[in-house]
């Protein structure tokens, strides 16, 4: 890890040196050393144990740079780097890191337009001032670049990013020289929102792979390209990072690229405490590599059981892994059906039959149709309307032999005071009833707790849907006493939903952990309003995994007969 960090400092030093107009030989030497460090597998601190002379013996490291490396290892900084930093405007490195802006251009922009960071560059571009200095064509390119960089800063719901990540993974796997590839980072950990996509590839030809990756059709801007890594942006500003390792470092590389940062830091500390070093190429005992090929082997070398990516967040997962008590988390294939979907009978876009086809494509045993109950009140005769839908469901079940079996469910709105929005008479007709908050959000926690409690305790309600009501970019989670609510659900034998709808992902991870500890039943639902949305069950499963849930308490891992019995028992 120090190798990469040190390489970064040397590249910065090169930029700074160019900016102040120092000898070009110096910056060339810094960059050369940076490149060497980027590809060096042995931790640099191991080489540095042999002192100045051992470092100088390394190709591309001379006396001056060897001294700087020792400084860095001793103090965490390089004096020359600090010194030059203090001589230039604070944001100048940021400006110089933009493709198309070298030292000369950066100086020109600074001297003539007072550009000293991204913000002032942005303003100068908007004002048209850059056009006069660099020409209209170059200014326009910079405008596009800055625009992409700005767009890249928002975190995106994982459901928006995952399809692109898979598409790219496919393309990366096809690149010549790529032996293996995986999606890492927060996407692999199934975090609800992600900052970028991180890929790892195993290859013997890192430069060719990096080159080919940068030429993929989805890539709009190549921001940084190194010996074995690249950082690019897609059309919509989504950032994509690629890192390559040699095939024998696959496991260590996967661990590194997956993170989280906090988890990786814990692992490195643990390695150190055992007289070992951990980096993206392996676990090292001095200059000997003792593990690296698989994640299991790396964890084992640190005295740990393998941990699923969704658990790698530095809560207390290492304690479990140390004792060999890592839970067998729920898997997508164990889910036998979706327990929240909508059709044209309420606000969905597709017919029951279309939803059924999609459920079949998911290899489901059952599918719950949970149209909004209030819709049936709009006609003059709600019961006959409800029966009409019921007949449609029964006819389809008969035609398919119940493969997959359609459950006649309803989702009912929980009103401001916790009462349900439709008469019991209607709810009693449904095989499965979800209750959820759809308006009057943002009540004080006490009031929300009472409201949800009343709904949960309603004898006809099976499942509390999308508990906190959060919507990315729209609404924060409603506050409530979740511990109490989940405990009550446990006592009542009712279920709390984990909602996988792309912009919901509700409840958030910390609450799913609480939910897991409460022992209450859990229901996984996608809240699909289109047939094409059923795939998001894997998001609900990912969220369940982030809360450490195992299949036993998850309602929809139960076979249909058990599920039906469970539903009837609660009536
Ligand atoms: P995000 O992207 O904000 O949703 O969250 P992550 O967890 O995907 O974080 P990210 O993309 O910054 O990094 C993913 C992992 O890759 C991180 O846990 C460690 C590793 N990594 C990537 N680049 C660097 C780096 O420059 N330095 C260090 N120390 N680790 C890095
Ligand atoms: Ca990331
Ligand atoms: Ca990243
Ligand atoms: Zn709902």
């Amino acid at each position: 890890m120090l190798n990469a960090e040190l390489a970064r400092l040397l590249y910065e030093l090169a930029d700074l040196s160019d900016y102040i107009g120092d000898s070009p030989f110096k910056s060339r030497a810094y960059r050369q050393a940076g490149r060497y460090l980027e590809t060096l597998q042995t931790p640099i601190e191991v080489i540095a144990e042999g002192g100045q002379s051992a470092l100088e013996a390394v190709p591309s490291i001379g006396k001056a740079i060897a001294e700087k490396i020792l400084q860095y290892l001793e103090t965490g900084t390089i004096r020359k780097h600090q010194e030059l930093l203090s001589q230039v405007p604070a944001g100048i490195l940021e400006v110089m890191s933009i493709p198309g802006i070298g030292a000369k251009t950066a100086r020109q922009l600074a001297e003539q337009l007072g550009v000293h960071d991204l913000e002032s560059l942005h303003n100068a571009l908007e004002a048209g001032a850059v056009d006069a200095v660099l020409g209209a064509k170059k200014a326009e390119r910079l405008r596009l670049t800055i625009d992409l960089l700005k767009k890249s800063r928002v975190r995106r719901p994982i459901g928006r990013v995952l399809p692109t990540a898979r598409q790219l993974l496919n393309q990366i796997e096809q690149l010549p020289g790529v032996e293996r590839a995986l999606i890492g980072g927060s996407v692999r950990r199934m975090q609800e929102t992600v900052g970028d996509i991180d890929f790892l590839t195993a290859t013997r030809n890192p430069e060719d792979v990096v080159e080919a990756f940068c030429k993929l059709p989805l890539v709009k801007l190549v921001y940084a390209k190194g010996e074995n890594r690249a950082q690019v942006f897609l059309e919509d500003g989504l950032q994509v990072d690629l890192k390559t390792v040699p095939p024998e470092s696959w496991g260590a590389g996967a661990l590194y690229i997956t993170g989280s940062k906090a988890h990786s830091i814990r692992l490195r500390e643990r390695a150190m405490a055992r007289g070992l070093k951990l980096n993206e190429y392996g676990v090292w005992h001095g200059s000997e590599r003792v593990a690296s090929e698989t994640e299991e082997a790396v964890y084992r070398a640190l005295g740990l059981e393998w941990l699923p990516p969704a658990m790698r967040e530095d809560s207390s997962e290492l304690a479990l892994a140390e004792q060999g008590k890592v839970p067998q988390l729920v898997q997508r294939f164990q889910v036998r059906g979706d327990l929240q979907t909508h059709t044209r009978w309420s606000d969905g876009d597709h017919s029951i039959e279309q939803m059924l086809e999609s459920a079949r494509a998911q290899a489901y045993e059952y599918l719950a149709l949970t149209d909004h109950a209030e819709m049936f009140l709009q006609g003059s005769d709600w019961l006959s309307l409800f029966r009409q839908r019921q007949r449609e469901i029964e006819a389809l079940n008969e035609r398919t032999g119940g493969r997959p079996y359609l459950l006649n469910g309803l989702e009912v709105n929980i009103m401001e005071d916790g009462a349900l929005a439709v008469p019991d008479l209607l709810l009693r007709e449904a095989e499965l009833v979800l209750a959820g908050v759809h308006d009057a959000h943002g009540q004080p926690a006490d009031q929300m707790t009472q409201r949800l409690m009343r709904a949960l305790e309603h004898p006809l309600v099976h499942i509390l849907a999308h508990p906190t009501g959060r919507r990315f970019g729209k609404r924060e989670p409603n506050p409530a006493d979740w511990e109490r609510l989940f405990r009550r659900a446990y006592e009542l034998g009712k279920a709390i939903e984990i909602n996988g709808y792309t912009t919901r992902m509700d409840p958030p991870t910390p609450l799913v952990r609480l939910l897991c500890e409460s022992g209450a039943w859990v229901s996984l639902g996608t809240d699909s309003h289109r047939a094409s949305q059923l795939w998001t069950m894997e998001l609900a499963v990912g969220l369940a995994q982030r809360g450490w849930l195992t299949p036993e308490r998850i309602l929809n891992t139960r076979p249909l007969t058990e599920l039906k019995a469970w539903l009837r028992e609660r009536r």
Side-chain angles (χ1 to χ4, degrees), residues 205-220:
N205 311 307
E207 280 172 83
D208 296 348
V209 168
V210 166
E211 200 61 46
F213 167 74
C214 290
K215 294 210 173 86
L216 286 176
L218 287 175
V219 173
K220 178 80 180 175

Side-chain angles (χ1 to χ4, degrees), residues 38-343:
E38 243 184 359
T39 51
L40 175 68
Q41 298 189 29
T42 320
I44 186 69
E45 58 272 35
V46 169
I47 297 178
E49 275 162 19
Q52 174 99 16
S53 57
L55 283 171
E56 279 181 44
V58 167
S60 77
I61 295 183
K63 180 163 177 294
I65 291 180
E67 278 167 8
K68 290 182 175 58
I69 293 176
L70 288 176
Q71 264 173 33
Y72 170 74
L73 291 177
E74 277 160 28
T75 66
T77 56
I78 298 174
R79 268 200 303 281
K80 181 85 180 173
H81 180 265
Q82 302 283 77
E83 194 184 302
L84 292 185
L85 262 187
S86 68
Q87 291 172 27
V88 306
I92 218 71
L93 282 172
E94 210 177 41
V95 174
M96 284 182 73
S97 69
I98 294 171
I101 300 190
K104 190 170 141 249
T105 309
R107 257 201 324 263
Q108 249 179 317
L109 291 172
E111 281 159 13
Q112 299 178 35
L113 304 174
V115 165
H116 56 275
D117 59 10
L118 280 193
E119 195 54 38
S120 51
L121 174 58
H122 175 76
N123 294 340
L125 281 164
E126 292 301 292
V130 178
D131 298 59
V133 179
L134 302 180
K137 215 171 132 201
K138 198 156 181 195
E140 187 50 30
R141 264 201 67 82
L142 285 178
R143 257 189 285 276
L144 289 175
T145 302
I146 301 270
D147 190 44
L148 274 188
L149 291 181
K150 286 199 144 175
K151 282 192 198 144
S152 77
R153 298 225 177 98
V154 293
R155 298 190 67 80
R156 299 155 203 248
I158 189 169
R160 288 265 158 77
V161 173
L162 202 52
T164 310
R166 297 247 165 89
Q167 189 188 354
L168 275 170
L169 178 65
N170 242 311
Q171 296 171 2
I172 290 168
E173 281 171 336
Q174 311 294 319
L175 298 178
V178 169
E179 296 188 15
R180 308 178 69 167
L182 70 67
I183 305 169
S186 49
V187 178
R188 185 167 179 227
R189 301 197 314 277
M190 293 301 278
Q191 198 168 312
E192 296 109 290
T193 65
V194 302
D196 65 3
I197 311 177
D198 304 279
F199 287 102
L200 178 76
T201 62
T203 179
R204 298 254 168 248
N205 311 307
E207 280 172 83
D208 296 348
V209 168
V210 166
E211 200 61 46
F213 167 74
C214 290
K215 294 210 173 86
L216 286 176
L218 287 175
V219 173
K220 178 80 180 175
L221 170 76
V222 177
Y223 186 76
K225 191 161 71 174
E227 300 292 298
N228 53 21
R229 61 195 313 155
Q231 183 180 346
V232 304
F233 293 88
L234 311 185
E235 180 87 55
D236 61 354
L238 181 60
Q239 181 184 325
V240 182
D241 291 348
L242 176 83
K243 160 96 184 154
T244 75
V245 292
E248 62 273 16
S249 292
W250 177 251
L255 210 54
Y256 164 84
I257 202 75
T258 302
S260 66
K261 250 164 216 147
H263 182 77
S264 296
I265 288 170
R266 289 272 167 265
L267 291 180
R268 288 204 291 276
E269 286 170 354
R270 202 179 158 85
M272 243 163 343
R274 304 178 158 228
L276 302 168
K277 292 213 163 62
L278 170 66
N279 68 11
E280 64 267 52
Y281 300 108
V283 180
W284 301 80
H285 183 69
S287 57
E288 183 201 354
R289 185 164 19 207
V290 295
S292 65
E293 285 188 14
T294 63
E295 287 190 338
E296 284 84 353
V298 173
Y299 276 117
R300 203 180 313 120
L302 303 177
L304 297 168
E305 196 183 345
W306 181 82
L307 279 158
M311 289 180 72
R312 301 181 194 171
E313 295 290 352
D314 185 30
S315 8
S316 45
E317 72 274 13
L318 287 201
L320 290 184
E322 190 168 46
Q323 299 159 36
K325 287 187 181 153
V326 175
Q328 294 292 315
L329 302 183
V330 59
Q331 305 288 317
R332 169 63 187 83
F333 74 87
Q334 294 167 322
V335 177
R336 295 170 187 257
D338 197 326
L339 294 183
Q340 179 169 189
T341 67
H342 299 261
T343 74

Side-chain angles (χ1 to χ4, degrees), residues 192-500:
E192 296 109 290
T193 65
V194 302
D196 65 3
I197 311 177
D198 304 279
F199 287 102
L200 178 76
T201 62
T203 179
R204 298 254 168 248
N205 311 307
E207 280 172 83
D208 296 348
V209 168
V210 166
E211 200 61 46
F213 167 74
C214 290
K215 294 210 173 86
L216 286 176
L218 287 175
V219 173
K220 178 80 180 175
L221 170 76
V222 177
Y223 186 76
K225 191 161 71 174
E227 300 292 298
N228 53 21
R229 61 195 313 155
Q231 183 180 346
V232 304
F233 293 88
L234 311 185
E235 180 87 55
D236 61 354
L238 181 60
Q239 181 184 325
V240 182
D241 291 348
L242 176 83
K243 160 96 184 154
T244 75
V245 292
E248 62 273 16
S249 292
W250 177 251
L255 210 54
Y256 164 84
I257 202 75
T258 302
S260 66
K261 250 164 216 147
H263 182 77
S264 296
I265 288 170
R266 289 272 167 265
L267 291 180
R268 288 204 291 276
E269 286 170 354
R270 202 179 158 85
M272 243 163 343
R274 304 178 158 228
L276 302 168
K277 292 213 163 62
L278 170 66
N279 68 11
E280 64 267 52
Y281 300 108
V283 180
W284 301 80
H285 183 69
S287 57
E288 183 201 354
R289 185 164 19 207
V290 295
S292 65
E293 285 188 14
T294 63
E295 287 190 338
E296 284 84 353
V298 173
Y299 276 117
R300 203 180 313 120
L302 303 177
L304 297 168
E305 196 183 345
W306 181 82
L307 279 158
M311 289 180 72
R312 301 181 194 171
E313 295 290 352
D314 185 30
S315 8
S316 45
E317 72 274 13
L318 287 201
L320 290 184
E322 190 168 46
Q323 299 159 36
K325 287 187 181 153
V326 175
Q328 294 292 315
L329 302 183
V330 59
Q331 305 288 317
R332 169 63 187 83
F333 74 87
Q334 294 167 322
V335 177
R336 295 170 187 257
D338 197 326
L339 294 183
Q340 179 169 189
T341 67
H342 299 261
T343 74
R344 267 191 218 135
W345 278 94
S346 60
D347 56 348
D349 287 342
H350 292 117
S351 66
I352 294 179
E353 196 168 356
Q354 285 167 313
M355 296 303 278
L356 171 79
E357 283 313 314
S358 191
R360 200 186 311 237
Q362 295 287 329
Y364 278 150
E365 190 178 328
Y366 46 83
L367 176 75
L369 306 167
T370 56
D371 284 303
H372 295 282
E374 302 87 281
M375 294 299 184
F376 294 92
L377 293 187
Q378 283 169 8
S380 52
D381 185 357
W382 52 264
L383 192 57
S384 80
L385 210 52
F386 182 83
R387 291 260 185 267
Q388 206 180 318
R389 173 171 172 271
Q390 185 175 350
R391 277 194 299 277
E392 197 181 322
I393 291 172
E394 284 167 357
L396 282 169
N397 277 338
E398 204 157 310
R399 208 179 79 198
T400 65
R403 276 187 292 269
Y405 180 83
L406 297 171
L407 284 151
N408 182 3
L410 286 176
E411 182 190 16
V412 60
N413 189 30
I414 303 171
M415 296 192 295
E416 234 175 299
D417 60 356
L420 302 181
V422 306
D424 289 0
L425 231 49
L426 173 53
L427 295 180
R428 203 165 286 129
E429 296 294 325
E431 284 179 283
L432 163 79
V433 174
L434 310 185
V437 167
H438 297 90
D439 45 34
H441 294 274
Q443 289 171 321
D446 277 359
Q447 211 176 333
M448 185 55 82
T449 307
Q450 275 177 37
R451 176 182 182 183
L452 295 177
M453 193 64 88
R454 186 169 165 204
L456 191 63
E457 287 175 344
H458 190 291
L460 292 171
V461 169
H462 293 108
I463 298 167
L464 180 63
H466 41 72
T468 77
R470 81 145 152 204
R471 299 294 292 266
F472 294 122
K474 193 171 162 197
R475 205 163 50 225
E476 291 299 307
N478 289 318
D481 187 344
W482 298 110
E483 218 169 318
R484 224 180 101 208
L485 283 161
F486 296 162
R487 192 167 352 111
R488 189 73 186 125
Y490 171 77
E491 288 162 6
L492 293 165
K494 296 195 177 185
I496 304 288
E497 181 186 65
I498 294 179
N499 188 299

